[in-house]
Amino acid sequence: MIVLKTHSELERMKKACRISAESLSVAEELIRPGITTREIDRAMHDFIVRSGAKPSFLGLYGFPASACISVNDVVIHGIPGDYHLQEGDIVSIDVGACCDGFHGDNAYTFPVGQISEENQRLLRVTQESLYKGIEAAVIGNRIGDISFAVQSHVTPYGFGIVRQFVGHGVGKALHEDPEVPNFGKAGHGPRLVEGMTIAIEPMITLEGDAVTIDADKWTTRSKSGKAAAHFEHTIAITKDGPVILTKR
């Protein structure tokens, strides 16, 4: 069931989304060769708590950290630990915050120092595809129009679109209906109406759409072993067009 938000609920949700977005800025300031992913997670956790919110991911389905921190070939759900970031890595950070009964959810892939040209292109195209999807998120369109917009932008570059994981609704629960795939047919799926709040999150690899999951049951890697990028915004469908709630 898709839960529509009233104007007052949307105003409450904006705070959670703002904190989620600002926590990514906290991470960005720390990213450098030598820092561990656990140190980044700890700083993000402390910021979210100081801001009067709770980390949405911590304990969710048993996840052991406040942020998913995924390096290089890890697409999503990377568990922060003792890995020291290295020059040339790319690191995807997915984080959410819960405040006033509502969640915000967003992700960004950061370069660590100077990265390869192919990884630069991967990050650029993945982020562009997110905004193509957002542009299609207007009243009267359907979820499939968002999916098609993302896919149409990525496919010409030959990159892989992960199909096993998709975007989703966001609200009082972190994961609500509807699912928002990054592939699909225009004109298909639930119709977009005012009051919907969804997370659009392209997960794109340099090669192939298949993934594998480590023995920890979380860490999700590209099966090809090639790098992956992940960008995400929580948006609201409004009569004035899509509004990015997690804009930094």
Side-chain angles (χ1 to χ4, degrees), residues 91 127 171 234:
V91 54
Q127 188 173 31
T234 296

Side-chain angles (χ1 to χ4, degrees), residues 2 9 55 102 104 108 144 149 196 201 230:
I2 296 173
E9 288 175 326
F102 287 90
Y108 196 96
M196 290 176 67
E201 50 177 323
H230 180 203

Side-chain angles (χ1 to χ4, degrees), residues 69-159:
I69 304 184
S70 306
V71 182
N72 295 332
D73 67 319
V74 180
V75 184
I76 52 172
H77 301 163
I79 298 175
D82 295 328
Y83 177 78
H84 293 259
L85 294 182
Q86 300 177 31
E87 182 83 14
D89 284 344
I90 59 173
V91 54
S92 299
I93 302 181
D94 187 3
V95 66
C98 183
C99 186
D100 294 337
F102 287 90
H103 294 268
D105 189 9
N106 56 180
Y108 196 96
T109 303
F110 299 96
V112 183
Q114 294 296 317
I115 63 174
S116 68
E117 288 187 8
E118 67 174 357
N119 281 350
Q120 289 179 29
R121 184 162 54 252
L122 175 66
L123 267 60
R124 175 179 59 80
V125 171
T126 305
Q127 188 173 31
E128 287 172 352
S129 74
L130 168 61
Y131 286 98
K132 293 293 185 181
I134 292 172
E135 288 174 8
V138 296
I139 291 173
N141 274 359
R142 294 182 179 271
I143 290 293
D145 294 299
I146 298 173
S147 306
F148 181 76
V150 173
Q151 182 177 16
S152 296
H153 187 71
V154 172
T155 298
Y157 293 91
F159 296 150

